[in-house]
Amino acid sequence: MALKSDTILHRIVVYALLLLGSAAFILPLVWLLSTSLKGDTGLFEIPPKWVPDPFHWDNYKKAVHSFPFLRYTWNTVLITVLCMIGSMLSSSFVAYAFARLRWPGRDAWFVVMLATMMLPGQVTMIPLFILFKELGWINTYLPLIVPFFFGSAFYIFLMRQFFMTIPKELSEAAKIDGCTELYTWWRIFMPLSKPALATLGIFTFTLVWNDFQGPLIYLNDTNKFTLMLGLRSFQQQYGTRWNVMMAASLLVMLPTLALFFSFQRYFIEGVTLTGVKG
Amino acid sequence: METMKQKKALVLMLTTVMLSSMLAACSGNKDNNGNASPSASPSAPASGSASASASPADEPVTISYWHIYTDGPMKDLTDQLLKDFHDQHPNITVEQLGVNFFDYWTKLSTAMAAGSGPDLALNDTSTVPSRAKTGAILSTDDFIQQDGVNLGDYFPVLVDLMKYEGKMYGMPNDTDVRVLYYNKKMFTDAGLDPNKPPANWDELEQYADKLTKWNDKKMLDVIGFSPALGNLHLWTLAWANGGGFWDDEGKPTFNKPENLEALQWEKKIQDKYGVKAMSAFNSQASALGFSPFIAGKAAMIVDVNNLYQEIKTRAPDLEFGVAPIPYTKTPASWSAGFDLELVNNKDDKRAAAAWELMKYLTSADVQVKIHEASGSLVSNMKAAQDPKFMEDPNWKMIVDQMQYSRFIEYIEAMPSWHGNLDPVEQAVLNSGKDPKEFLDGAQKNAENAVANFNKTK
């Protein structure tokens, strides 16, 4: 009897804490929704009103018409999908070499690769920009997409750690059956690494979808802009249309939200993958 | 052993990277010096300005124009103006790009550093010399002479800022100026003459005391005047007190007695309110989302001329007046502004077309439209002082301040010196730090910056 009431108490405390935690995390989202429905005058009311009166649904109309919303959505989707394909293919490919192939200097090169993670983006910004300019890639999507087809240190690291956990026997068996390394990577390692690949894909998605600086410096033609650039257009030197901006932000966030709920499992796994296996 | 090796490799890597970036920085400076030496005329601008004569009229040309108008009336006006321009010059196609004010500088500086900037760029008036010196932008002298543009039509202080080694590098576009706004109704209620705004610091202090309203909880209902509100900065007050932060030789004079007096005076005023009441007031005021002056929470405030535009839209019934910033020795105000520059893309035809657009955008008719759309203080005096605008005594007062207004000195060794002063002012006003100690510290920092810069020469 005593035991049972203990567990009930335990549960109550746990759920209360969880509820509190979720409330803290959902609050900004609710505030975003609330602001996106407010009129121009009710924005900074004290005490703040959570439920706007009346609902200004026209903010959403204004948001969609303030910049070419569909066009920017298409641009962003195009870039994001290509980047996801690129990073999944290239990072796992390189990771396979680091995890399973034996070649001279492999470990040293691994360290060199990890060291590139230490370079802050600001340091490489101008040299990279000049490089892409010499290639004639300014005002195209190439500087935003192509780098993802050459792997990135963190993703390679992530994939390598995952590949290391796959039993050697599997690849050895494949080799005995006459499987080439390329084939082993594609037919055995890739299908076995779906959770890691999904993590990688989701990371790339959020990174590219939310990327602001890349499109800002490389794109000059407003028709080629991405959603993030569109969002910022509401911010002006003397004042911002917060309500319209929040409405647009919510629309831009929807795909991320949808992705999160459908792949929640992988998000969590991603955290444990990156957290424990380092 | 393995980890040791890895560590060593890492250290080697990092050292190489750091060394190579340092080398790059050094060589960059040498280049700058080469250009700056008086004997060698800056080569890149010369080639560009020579092009003025070689601009065939009707050949089709496409140019790019970057600006900061991404939303609201100025975006619509820019679209319209560019359409009108294209009607007048069918051979010139303008590809415009608006990036919001906060991100624009990243975009523009990256592109210009890599030599892929726009043909015409809106830029910061106070840093023209830095780009003129390196040849990143072209001189507009020949164009101005060839087309007979009268520089006398523009505010003299702005024209001076566009000059480097005696040559014009672009055209001023618009500016701003700080003035004192005062609530006439509160003046009457407090027994003050609503047509006599304070002219000096003593009056400002006396009036502020009369206008300040405390409530039962010892909190502030209305602030008479606070140097921490609005857009008054230490340098503006110091200038008004005959002070300054740099002498003619480019040496810092941060702890000059006049500057110290200004900071001490600010502290004296601010201490009347106390940190507790002030922070309560601030948290309320910032929740408003607009100026406390508009909300009737501040009886007097020093702010940018844009506040006037905001009052017109948010509180059209507010009874208020505009006056010069009270001063002790010299009338003074602070301005910042935007100019239009021809980016050196080594293409004479595009430069000539970009000049046409620059000339158009700074012409009186167009600048009148810009003022009507944004309320901004345009650089063309014919437009800013158009009789239909000058009928408004408040606007006239704002425009008249341009004869006393100053810009931040461009100091190559310390381009953001004024940005470093704001925290000093904040610390003195909010945390009760000693003004002298802090100005001495700022002086030392500036001296170090100059000394370090001189070493790189």
Side-chain angles (χ1 to χ4, degrees):
Chain A
M1 217 34 214
L3 239 173
K4 205 172 182 189
S5 69
D6 247 24
T7 49
I8 289 174
L9 191 74
H10 182 235
R11 275 194 182 173
I12 290 176
V13 171
V14 167
Y15 278 104
L17 282 175
L18 282 177
L19 268 177
L20 223 78
S22 350
F25 279 97
I26 195 97
L27 221 61
L29 201 66
V30 176
W31 185 246
L32 180 80
L33 180 70
S34 158
T35 307
S36 75
L37 291 170
K38 281 179 184 168
D40 292 336
T41 48
L43 282 177
F44 295 100
E45 260 175 327
I46 296 273
K49 260 199 200 160
W50 284 90
V51 183
D53 179 37
F55 286 146
H56 285 266
W57 291 105
D58 56 321
N59 286 342
Y60 284 84
K61 211 169 126 193
K62 282 185 207 158
V64 175
H65 289 289
S66 290
F67 58 85
F69 205 89
L70 276 181
R71 164 115 236 157
Y72 287 10
T73 309
W74 164 245
N75 296 344
T76 316
V77 168
L78 180 78
I79 297 173
T80 310
V81 168
L82 286 173
C83 286
M84 281 168 77
I85 295 173
S87 77
M88 283 197 258
L89 284 180
S90 63
S91 293
S92 64
F93 193 68
V94 178
Y96 181 80
F98 277 124
R100 277 301 144 86
L101 302 187
R102 257 179 246 136
W103 41 284
R106 181 184 75 174
D107 294 334
W109 281 111
F110 190 63
V111 173
V112 169
M113 186 202 73
L114 287 183
T116 59
M117 278 165 65
M118 313 292 169
L119 276 180
Q122 290 86 338
V123 174
T124 52
M125 194 167 93
I126 302 271
L128 268 181
F129 191 92
I130 293 175
L131 174 77
F132 289 131
K133 189 201 152 213
E134 295 304 321
L135 291 171
W137 288 2
I138 299 302
N139 202 19
T140 70
Y141 292 145
L142 291 172
L144 304 174
I145 296 169
V146 172
F148 281 89
F149 280 85
F150 287 86
S152 84
F154 177 67
Y155 298 150
I156 293 171
F157 172 73
L158 188 80
M159 289 310 291
R160 174 191 178 256
Q161 300 308 97
F162 195 86
F163 284 168
M164 303 275 265
T165 65
I166 294 175
K168 275 219 165 74
E169 288 78 4
L170 274 176
S171 41
E172 280 163 5
K175 203 170 264 174
I176 290 168
D177 286 346
C179 206
T180 60
E181 298 289 358
L182 192 70
Y183 213 67
T184 316
W185 163 70
W186 181 248
R187 294 307 285 266
I188 297 176
F189 278 67
M190 288 296 265
L192 282 174
S193 314
K194 272 183 197 150
L197 280 173
T199 309
L200 204 157
I202 289 167
F203 279 0
T204 314
F205 174 87
T206 45
L207 183 83
V208 178
W209 188 267
N210 296 327
D211 183 23
F212 174 73
Q213 183 147 301
L216 172 73
I217 62 175
Y218 290 119
L219 303 178
N220 297 339
D221 182 349
T222 37
N223 279 324
K224 291 181 182 153
F225 272 19
T226 61
L227 284 170
M228 280 304 135
L229 291 179
L231 273 189
R232 287 286 278 202
S233 64
F234 297 109
Q235 268 175 306
Q236 296 277 293
Q237 189 185 3
Y238 298 106
T240 299
R241 287 196 287 164
W242 289 109
N243 43 3
V244 184
M245 185 170 163
M246 291 305 146
S249 303
L250 201 80
L251 294 177
V252 171
M253 237 175 69
L254 284 180
T256 320
L257 272 184
L259 196 84
F260 177 78
F261 283 115
S262 32
F263 291 98
Q264 201 177 9
R265 201 159 53 93
Y266 294 118
F267 262 104
I268 311 283
E269 265 177 55
V271 173
T272 50
L273 266 183
T274 51
V276 180
K277 306 240 169 80
Chain B
M1 261 334 269
E2 191 64 22
T3 47
M4 266 301 283
K5 257 189 202 164
Q6 289 182 348
K7 254 187 199 161
K8 265 188 190 163
L10 194 78
V11 169
L12 195 72
M13 264 284 305
L14 288 175
T15 334
T16 323
V17 170
M18 275 162 66
L19 270 179
S20 51
S21 59
M22 269 161 67
L23 281 175
C26 288
S27 62
N29 277 322
K30 264 180 212 145
D31 281 359
N32 285 352
N33 276 348
N35 267 343
S37 64
S39 57
S41 65
S43 53
S47 77
S49 48
S51 67
S53 50
S55 53
D58 300 297
E59 263 183 79
V61 54
T62 302
I63 56 167
S64 50
Y65 164 44
W66 290 3
H67 55 77
I68 55 166
Y69 312 116
T70 53
D71 197 24
M74 269 313 283
K75 177 183 192 281
D76 301 339
L77 180 68
T78 307
D79 291 344
Q80 183 59 47
L81 289 177
L82 292 180
K83 202 180 276 172
D84 294 350
F85 178 77
H86 187 63
D87 290 343
Q88 290 173 25
H89 304 266
N91 61 319
I92 303 176
T93 308
V94 181
E95 283 172 353
Q96 60 154 331
L97 172 65
V99 177
N100 90 61
F101 173 77
F102 302 97
D103 309 314
Y104 183 72
W105 312 105
T106 312
K107 169 97 189 159
L108 186 65
S109 54
T110 315
M112 281 178 68
S116 65
D119 298 299
L120 182 66
L122 196 75
N123 216 333
D124 174 13
T125 311
S126 53
T127 52
V128 173
S130 66
R131 294 179 293 277
K133 182 178 171 180
T134 58
I137 57 174
L138 300 174
S139 167
T140 44
D141 259 5
D142 294 350
F143 290 121
I144 290 170
Q145 269 172 25
Q146 169 196 287
D147 289 353
V149 171
N150 182 9
L151 291 178
D153 288 348
Y154 299 83
F155 286 109
V157 58
L158 301 179
V159 173
D160 285 348
L161 283 160
M162 301 304 303
K163 283 186 179 155
Y164 176 72
E165 293 186 340
K167 284 173 132 185
M168 287 289 286
Y169 281 83
M171 290 290 282
N173 187 64
D174 65 331
T175 182
D176 59 17
V177 69
R178 276 117 193 107
V179 290
L180 179 81
Y181 295 81
Y182 65 100
N183 189 314
K184 284 190 172 176
K185 183 158 182 307
M186 289 184 185
F187 265 56
T188 320
D189 293 347
L192 295 166
D193 183 348
N195 295 315
K196 264 200 174 157
N200 54 50
W201 293 1
D202 289 337
E203 283 179 13
L204 183 57
E205 185 183 350
Q206 288 161 19
Y207 290 14
D209 289 346
K210 284 188 189 161
L211 291 161
T212 301
K213 284 186 200 145
W214 295 85
N215 63 22
D216 318 334
K217 294 175 209 146
K218 298 211 167 147
M219 286 297 156
L220 287 155
D221 274 349
V222 174
I223 280 191
F225 174 80
S226 160
L229 296 176
N231 207 313
L232 177 66
H233 294 269
L234 175 59
W235 53 87
T236 318
L237 265 191
W239 291 339
N241 195 36
F245 293 82
W246 301 91
D247 65 14
D248 295 338
E249 283 140 39
K251 290 204 184 94
T253 56
F254 281 44
N255 53 1
K256 232 181 166 181
E258 289 89 348
N259 301 351
L260 181 60
E261 266 173 36
L263 188 56
Q264 278 165 339
W265 183 82
E266 280 191 83
K267 185 173 157 54
K268 182 173 93 179
I269 301 295
Q270 198 60 30
D271 282 351
K272 296 184 182 195
Y273 306 119
V275 175
K276 197 178 155 217
M278 196 64 206
S279 64
F281 181 90
N282 277 336
S283 66
Q284 263 198 347
S286 60
L288 290 170
F290 50 84
S291 166
F293 183 78
I294 293 181
K297 293 274 172 196
M300 298 184 282
I301 201 167
V302 170
D303 215 327
V304 192
N305 57 290
N306 291 73
L307 180 64
Y308 184 37
Q309 190 70 9
E310 214 184 326
I311 295 172
K312 278 197 222 165
T313 50
R314 280 193 193 274
D317 299 329
L318 193 73
E319 288 173 47
F320 73 103
V322 177
I325 297 174
Y327 63 94
T328 46
K329 296 200 181 97
T330 359
S333 183
W334 171 45
S335 292
F338 296 111
D339 61 26
L340 290 167
E341 295 169 6
L342 298 180
V343 178
N344 186 0
N345 286 330
K346 304 188 176 72
D347 185 324
D348 293 348
K349 221 168 84 181
R350 268 156 58 200
W355 159 255
E356 282 301 325
L357 182 57
M358 182 190 291
K359 191 174 69 176
Y360 172 76
L361 291 172
T362 52
S363 66
D365 293 346
V366 170
Q367 293 241 310
V368 163
K369 288 181 192 160
I370 293 174
H371 173 75
E372 283 169 341
S374 65
S376 81
L377 181 49
V378 287
S379 64
N380 192 321
M381 287 195 288
K382 274 189 180 164
Q385 299 175 340
D386 191 294
K388 67 177 174 251
F389 303 143
M390 295 298 267
E391 277 172 14
D392 173 358
N394 288 336
W395 179 252
K396 183 176 183 309
M397 181 61 82
I398 287 171
V399 173
D400 286 350
Q401 296 317 302
M402 280 310 288
Q403 54 190 310
Y404 309 116
S405 197
R406 290 171 63 164
F407 275 67
I408 289 297
E409 290 97 336
Y410 174 71
I411 304 294
E412 207 178 355
M414 206 180 177
S416 56
W417 64 268
H418 58 297
N420 299 347
L421 265 180
D422 275 334
V424 172
E425 194 181 1
Q426 295 287 326
V428 170
L429 293 188
N430 301 332
S431 333
K433 303 283 190 230
D434 178 45
K436 180 156 177 18
E437 194 184 307
F438 264 65
L439 274 185
D440 285 343
Q443 168 74 12
K444 194 152 266 167
N445 283 342
E447 280 168 7
N448 286 339
V450 172
N452 286 339
F453 180 76
N454 286 338
K455 274 185 217 157
T456 65
K457 277 190 187 173

